[in-house]
Amino acid sequence: MPRFAPCLMFAALLALSGGIAGQEPKKDDPPVRAKGVLPPNWKKIGLTEDQVQNIYKIQGKYNDEIDKLEAKIKDLRTTKEKEMRAVLSADQKKKLEEILVGKDK
């Protein structure tokens, strides 16, 4: 197989697929609508569709960052719990487990 064959295959695939993903939408395409959930009672205040779309965009802007921070908090809590348990003696760890198992019942 010639060295340039993979390049030709890629070019053919690109041509058949219609281009690169993320291209500008055609002028005939309807505008992409953002999706989200309005906070409680916000539907009752008479928001316009533009306001709703702006709120959804704002939510999207912050939700990814919030998700990352929540994951970091979860990791910190797990690490904190491990470090606190490392301070306990074997007998204390056993007693703690017995107490915690008893709570589930």
Side-chain angles (χ1 to χ4, degrees):
M1 183 183 255
R3 295 173 75 176
F4 59 88
C7 294
L8 287 175
M9 291 184 344
F10 176 76
L13 184 66
L14 187 61
L16 290 173
S17 69
I20 299 174
Q23 283 183 321
E24 290 296 318
K26 297 176 185 173
K27 300 219 187 288
D28 298 341
D29 291 344
V32 177
R33 292 174 38 116
K35 294 184 180 182
V37 177
L38 291 174
N41 299 312
W42 283 51
K43 287 183 180 181
K44 299 176 185 176
I45 60 174
L47 298 172
T48 66
E49 183 59 27
D50 283 343
Q51 288 174 311
V52 170
Q53 288 299 303
N54 285 332
I55 290 166
Y56 291 166
K57 288 175 188 175
I58 292 166
Q59 289 174 339
K61 176 180 168 182
Y62 289 100
N63 284 348
D64 288 340
E65 186 69 21
I66 290 169
D67 290 344
K68 290 175 189 174
L69 291 171
E70 286 175 342
K72 178 69 174 171
I73 290 169
K74 182 179 176 184
D75 290 343
L76 289 170
R77 286 187 173 138
T78 300
T79 302
K80 176 182 78 171
E81 181 72 20
K82 286 178 184 177
E83 287 184 27
M84 290 188 322
R85 286 178 183 248
V87 173
L88 303 177
S89 68
D91 188 45
Q92 290 168 327
K93 288 177 187 177
K94 182 179 176 184
K95 286 180 184 177
L96 179 62
E97 287 303 315
E98 289 171 0
I99 292 168
L100 294 175
V101 170
K103 279 187 170 182
D104 291 339
K105 293 180 180 177

